[in-house]
Amino acid sequence: MNRIEQAKRHPISYEKPAPDFFEGALMGNGGLGAVVTTRPDAIVIHFGHNNVWDIRIAENNQEKIGTFQDVFEQLKQIPQDLDTFRENEWYREYCDMTAENYSKPYPRPMPCGSLLLGYDRRKAEVLGHKIHIHNGLCEVYFKLEAGEEATLQLFIEPEADRMWMQLVSPEGAVGGLFDRVKLIPDPDTPKELPLAQLAVEAEQSQLSFRQTLPWAPEGNKRDVKDKAFRLDVRVAEDIEAMDTKGGVQAKLLQTAPFLACVELTEGLDAAVAAGLQELEVPAEQGVAAAFAACENNWTSYWNCSGVSLGDEFLEQIWYWNLYFYHCSVKPEATCPGLFANWSYRSIGSEWHGDYHMNYNTQQPFWLAFSSNHVDKHLAYVNMVDHILPVSRKWASEYYGMRGAYYPHSAYPVEMNIMPYPVPHWGWEVCETPWTVQSLWWHYLYTMDRDFLANRAFVPIKEAVLFLTDYMRRPDTHGEAWGDDRYHIFPTVVPELYELTPGFKKNYDCLVDLTLTKFVFHAFKEACETLGIEQQEEELLGSVQEILSKFPEYATAESQRGTVFVSVPGEDAEVVYNTPNGIMTIFPGEEHGLHSTGEAYQTALNSYLNHRNEGGNELVFYHLAGARMGHLDLEKFKRQISYCLLPNGTCTDRVLLSGGRYSDTLSFDFMRRVGIWFENFALPVVINECLLQSYNGILRLFPNWPGEQDAEFATLRAVGAFLVSASFSGGEVQWVEIESEAGAELRFYNPWEHGAVCKQASGDVTVYEDIVHLSTSPGERIRLVKANAQVAAS
């Protein structure tokens, strides 16, 4: 498979003007992001950056928050016959107080301004644009008044926050199209921030603006923690300053072919230069050198993995979303929040655009492992490091417990307390194990012992310390429970019931239990791998004691039989927002195609019976379906189409009223909230249809239709295996496996009559249902059908 050619087959095209933010071409280098919109009279490029935030933070009322035990005891006194705790005046006032800080409009991603290139629409007409995802080049197409054609080519350097652009025709570089250039600070810049500093340097053909981002909430005080950014553009032609209104602009005198360079600089206020920061003079040679670096970067990216699918639409979705993913994530930049590095005006500011640890922040990184882009996950690992101190402090000062209680909501700015300590969100216990889960996956998919020891173990252990302390409190076990179990209590079902009087729906939530079990087992295996069982003997003992007396999962009877429910006593017909009833399939990884009998059937019933209102389903729910071998790919494709935006990304759209959503709600209300970064994980669903390894055993094409061909190259599997395989005529044709770490290879035999395993040590034919093979680091193994081998000989 030629992976670059495969990517080249899937450009993202738009065949008319794209003036709206959600129509424009998305570009980026993982730090810098750009949305190229095309008006009938101008090209307007909106810039953002994962590192650039309004860093102000409100942390009022710290002395009023109290402790978990204080609040818990107070809630116990509230009558159980109320419908909700909010009917109690004390609780209403407490929630208002603890929500006050989050009600501020900051912190949030800070849009970095826009570049406008104006032209006379009597002389030119914009026809549309195309992103060549294989090399990161965006082209905007024009028809000129004399009938000629011209193309504006744009690309972003991979290692520098610079965008280059040039206007070309079939004859080469040209000019004469654009007549003005303008830099526009974001129109919704908070008024309390210092005014942007605008400048035109006619001699250097350069425009710039600089924006200070104060640390102080008032916005008018200076501090050494202040940050800043500046946006500069330099063109190859001569310019003449024009009247400044809503930005800084200049007339283009059209003295040379159009070439331009735009650069974003960000960092501490003291480090971002004021005044002229002279950019490189745009020249064809410089543009060519920069584009060569851009092409090389994209070539390296696409060479990590590839697919060739009989289903053109799914192949397109795989490549498009991996393109967006590379544009929006890199470990050298801040971990993206809800909307990544694209923002404009209020777009990207909903819910602060921050980190939500009950799936939103984690979901984009589910893609990193099987797609063989594990380096991208380091951005998430860095985020965990960032929130660990405040998580430890919250566990100690609020809960009076060891370890770390990871937050429901967090910011990539300096924090002293939890941003959103409102109990009906802040008491979601699942977020602590969920936050560290992917650190264990990182080890499993790479077998990188140094990563486990130096990056993963401490955050995982901190989660386990908290969970064991929390589950062994007097309130969580004993005679009052009528059993000998250790319960998770109190807790909150994600996105559903809040806290309920009498805590009727606030114990042993399915997601809490399955993720706690996951992280307990991960901790045990990590200790064994690192050889520190004796050092961690006490904590391992607590883990084992709890696991031996772990609560059962709640079930209910539905129209499809017995199903798991999110909390004991729940009705099987409840409408969820997050897929609470299928958490044991994913992310819990307890149930799947490896399951048998009653366990498999209950999990499958839960998947088939699930009702979701549409906020958080597109990747999450269908991933579980693939894990069960029961994903309807045609229905999955239709839902993707339902959620597609004009720019090729997928938003979240409402699917069902009757839960939190009423019949009069616009089912499209989320379309204009922002580009849904989390849905870039769509390729992981396709990967799981082609290859599964979550239980340490490779399973090939577990959810792929027999009548369609498929091939994949170097998808990553648990055990640090890079797997390639082909499927045609209803069966696997061949498999190639590279063992990076020399781990034992286990796979479900894809052929009923045996497989020939071709290794350096010789060929061996295996007939077992589950095959076990020893491997060496760097070894390559090829599998072919046994009877095909015999026939060939």
Side-chain angles (χ1 to χ4, degrees):
M1 180 193 304
N2 186 319
R3 304 173 201 187
I4 308 305
E5 289 300 316
Q6 282 296 104
K8 189 182 291 187
R9 294 182 63 243
H10 299 288
I12 304 172
S13 300
Y14 200 72
E15 298 180 353
K16 59 183 177 180
D20 186 73
F21 187 89
F22 298 103
E23 298 173 314
L26 295 188
M27 304 178 68
N29 65 7
L32 178 68
V35 181
V36 181
T37 64
T38 54
R39 301 186 335 204
D41 68 334
I43 307 298
V44 183
I45 307 168
H46 305 296
F47 291 96
H49 200 290
N50 280 326
N51 292 352
V52 178
W53 278 64
D54 181 342
I55 60 172
R56 296 173 295 159
I57 186 169
E59 295 191 319
N60 303 320
N61 304 317
Q62 295 186 47
E63 72 289 349
K64 299 178 183 178
I65 292 173
T67 67
F68 162 76
Q69 197 62 39
D70 292 338
V71 178
F72 187 37
E73 293 300 330
Q74 187 77 22
L75 290 173
K76 287 179 182 179
Q77 307 307 313
I78 296 176
Q80 298 185 20
D81 58 356
L82 297 182
D83 288 334
T84 71
F85 273 133
R86 292 175 186 266
E87 294 177 48
N88 177 269
E89 182 179 4
W90 172 84
Y91 187 66
R92 284 200 309 274
E93 292 177 353
Y94 183 82
C95 288
D96 290 344
M97 179 270 295
T98 51
E100 179 185 318
N101 293 327
Y102 203 74
S103 67
K104 305 290 185 184
Y106 49 78
R108 69 165 184 128
M110 185 68 193
C112 297
S114 306
L115 168 69
L116 182 148
L117 300 172
Y119 58 90
D120 188 337
R121 62 182 297 262
R122 294 169 297 183
K123 299 179 180 180
E125 177 188 6
V126 65
L127 302 178
H129 68 260
K130 179 183 292 185
I131 304 173
H132 301 277
I133 68 169
H134 70 286
N135 63 7
L137 180 69
C138 176
E139 294 188 319
V140 180
Y141 304 112
F142 294 91
K143 177 73 74 173
L144 306 183
E145 67 176 326
E148 311 102 310
E149 295 180 350
T151 301
L152 180 66
Q153 298 180 327
L154 311 95
F155 64 91
I156 295 176
E157 289 189 45
E159 303 300 333
D161 292 330
R162 282 191 290 267
M163 172 183 277
W164 294 87
M165 57 192 77
Q166 62 178 342
L167 189 67
V168 299
S169 72
E171 289 73 40
V174 294
L177 172 60
F178 301 112
D179 54 23
R180 67 183 178 114
V181 57
K182 184 176 185 179
L183 286 179
I184 309 170
D186 192 75
D188 289 345
T189 299
K191 298 188 184 307
E192 62 270 25
L193 296 190
L195 291 175
Q197 300 168 326
L198 309 175
V200 180
E201 301 292 341
E203 191 173 327
Q204 284 82 25
S205 298
Q206 188 167 326
L207 291 75
S208 71
F209 82 86
R210 184 184 187 280
Q211 178 66 61
T212 299
L213 300 171
W215 177 76
E218 301 83 4
N220 56 2
K221 296 180 180 178
R222 299 282 68 80
D223 192 279
V224 294
K225 298 178 182 178
D226 290 354
K227 294 192 174 184
F229 70 90
R230 58 177 297 152
L231 191 66
D232 293 82
V233 58
R234 184 165 188 172
V235 297
E237 0 184 347
D238 294 335
I239 65 172
E240 180 181 294
M242 298 173 65
D243 292 339
T244 297
K245 183 178 181 181
V248 54
Q249 65 178 327
K251 181 178 180 181
L252 293 174
L253 301 181
Q254 302 177 348
T255 54
F258 181 80
L259 294 166
C261 174
V262 186
E263 183 167 338
L264 180 73
T265 308
E266 48 79 22
L268 287 173
D269 185 53
V272 177
L276 179 65
Q277 179 177 296
E278 190 169 345
L279 302 185
E280 178 183 341
V281 178
E284 289 187 45
Q285 185 176 1
V287 173
F291 184 60
C294 178
E295 269 196 313
N296 288 339
N297 179 269
W298 280 100
T299 296
S300 297
Y301 180 73
W302 291 120
N303 276 333
C304 289
S305 60
V307 300
S308 176
L309 306 178
D311 190 304
E312 183 78 8
F313 181 75
L314 288 178
E315 183 178 299
Q316 172 183 279
I317 290 300
W318 195 90
Y319 281 99
W320 281 10
N321 282 278
L322 276 162
Y323 166 79
F324 297 135
Y325 195 54
H326 195 41
C327 289
S328 55
V329 182
K330 66 178 177 183
E332 298 84 4
T334 299
C335 180
L338 290 172
F339 308 107
N341 48 356
W342 298 291
S343 58
Y344 174 62
R345 307 196 79 146
S346 62
I347 299 169
S349 63
E350 289 288 339
W351 305 290
H352 291 263
D354 59 10
Y355 306 130
H356 290 194
M357 305 310 296
N358 60 354
Y359 105 88
N360 303 85
T361 308
Q362 291 93 332
Q363 181 167 294
F365 296 95
W366 300 344
L367 171 63
F369 303 106
S370 59
S371 293
N372 196 24
H373 295 292
V374 185
D375 60 304
K376 298 286 189 185
H377 181 243
L378 294 174
Y380 180 90
V381 178
N382 295 337
M383 183 275 299
V384 175
D385 288 343
H386 168 72
I387 65 174
L388 183 55
V390 73
S391 302
R392 281 173 166 155
K393 182 178 180 183
W394 194 249
S396 173
E397 296 183 1
Y398 183 70
Y399 282 98
M401 296 176 195
R402 299 176 298 169
Y405 183 91
Y406 293 97
H408 167 68
S409 181
Y411 308 123
V413 303
E414 183 179 321
M415 294 176 293
N416 186 52
I417 60 171
M418 291 298 184
Y420 199 61
V422 181
H424 51 257
W425 289 100
W427 286 12
E428 286 185 15
V429 173
C430 66
E431 291 173 299
T432 287
W434 212 336
T435 297
V436 300
Q437 179 183 45
S438 63
L439 277 63
W440 179 241
W441 281 336
H442 192 117
Y443 168 70
L444 290 180
Y445 280 83
T446 64
M447 305 304 288
D448 185 340
R449 193 175 182 279
D450 288 340
F451 174 86
L452 176 61
N454 300 320
R455 301 299 305 272
F457 184 75
V458 168
I460 290 173
K461 178 183 175 181
E462 294 294 288
V464 172
L465 281 166
F466 176 83
L467 290 167
T468 54
D469 281 5
Y470 194 74
M471 292 184 72
R472 295 175 73 190
R473 292 166 28 247
D475 287 304
T476 66
H477 64 99
E479 292 184 8
W481 290 90
D483 59 33
D484 63 349
R485 314 279 178 149
Y486 289 95
H487 298 272
I488 296 181
F489 169 73
T491 186
V492 180
V493 180
E495 314 266 346
L496 199 55
Y497 298 118
E498 301 187 355
L499 288 174
T500 55
F503 303 105
K504 294 183 287 291
K505 293 181 179 177
N506 299 113
Y507 68 97
D508 293 346
C509 296
L510 190 68
V511 63
D512 299 316
L513 295 177
T514 190
L515 286 175
T516 296
K517 192 183 291 186
F518 180 100
V519 79
F520 279 179
H521 287 301
F523 177 70
K524 290 172 62 179
E525 290 187 47
C527 290
E528 293 170 12
T529 300
L530 298 174
I532 55 175
E533 297 101 318
Q534 186 173 355
Q535 179 181 328
E536 299 294 342
E537 182 178 7
E538 180 184 352
L539 185 53
L540 285 169
S542 297
V543 166
Q544 191 55 46
E545 179 187 8
I546 293 172
L547 286 174
S548 70
K549 299 177 180 179
F550 209 72
E552 298 289 338
Y553 295 148
T555 60
E557 293 306 312
S558 77
Q559 56 185 274
R560 287 171 175 79
T562 303
V563 297
F564 294 118
V565 289
S566 71
V567 68
E570 183 176 76
D571 189 289
E573 292 299 302
V574 70
V575 177
Y576 291 124
N577 180 266
T578 55
N580 286 306
I582 59 174
M583 293 289 189
T584 63
I585 306 170
F586 190 87
E589 298 194 326
E590 287 189 72
H591 300 132
L593 279 169
H594 72 287
S595 304
T596 57
E598 183 180 344
Y600 177 83
Q601 193 60 53
T602 302
L604 179 60
N605 292 346
S606 303
Y607 169 74
L608 296 174
N609 194 63
H610 178 73
R611 305 178 74 206
N612 192 289
E613 63 193 6
N616 310 302
E617 178 182 285
L618 188 59
V619 174
F620 207 153
Y621 176 68
H622 297 107
L623 176 53
R627 284 283 176 92
M628 298 301 294
H630 228 277
L631 174 60
D632 182 335
L633 285 172
E634 293 304 314
K635 187 173 182 179
F636 176 49
K637 287 159 55 180
R638 289 192 293 271
Q639 190 165 337
I640 292 172
S641 297
Y642 174 61
C643 295
L644 268 176
L645 291 170
N647 59 15
T649 68
C650 284
T651 188
D652 287 343
R653 295 181 78 185
V654 176
L655 297 167
L656 178 66
S657 64
R660 300 182 308 175
Y661 300 150
S662 71
D663 286 325
T664 57
L665 177 78
S666 168
F667 271 40
D668 267 351
F669 84 92
M670 287 178 280
R671 282 177 68 91
R672 300 203 61 80
V673 167
I675 297 167
W676 287 94
F677 169 58
E678 63 197 42
N679 288 335
F680 295 170
L682 275 167
V684 76
V685 181
I686 300 168
N687 293 348
E688 293 291 322
C689 293
L690 303 174
L691 172 70
Q692 292 180 16
S693 67
Y694 63 91
N695 66 337
I697 309 173
L698 275 59
R699 190 188 296 269
L700 293 153
F701 301 99
N703 199 120
W704 193 254
E707 68 278 7
Q708 286 190 4
D709 292 352
E711 182 180 340
F712 63 84
T714 55
L715 294 184
R716 181 171 287 274
V718 167
F721 296 107
L722 297 179
V723 185
S724 305
S726 173
F727 184 88
S728 183
E731 67 175 1
V732 177
Q733 297 297 307
W734 54 263
V735 186
E736 290 185 350
I737 302 168
E738 178 184 349
S739 175
E740 287 188 334
E744 181 186 52
L745 172 64
R746 295 183 292 162
F747 62 91
Y748 294 97
N749 200 326
W751 296 290
E752 181 181 356
H753 300 295
V756 177
C757 305
K758 295 175 167 292
Q759 296 181 266
S761 58
D763 295 358
V764 59
T765 302
V766 293
Y767 301 97
E768 305 96 316
D769 290 338
I770 299 178
V771 180
H772 295 246
L773 291 177
S774 297
T775 71
S776 304
E779 182 180 5
R780 294 177 183 272
I781 300 143
R782 185 173 177 87
L783 310 178
V784 294
K785 186 177 179 180
N787 57 359
Q789 177 76 6
V790 171
S793 64

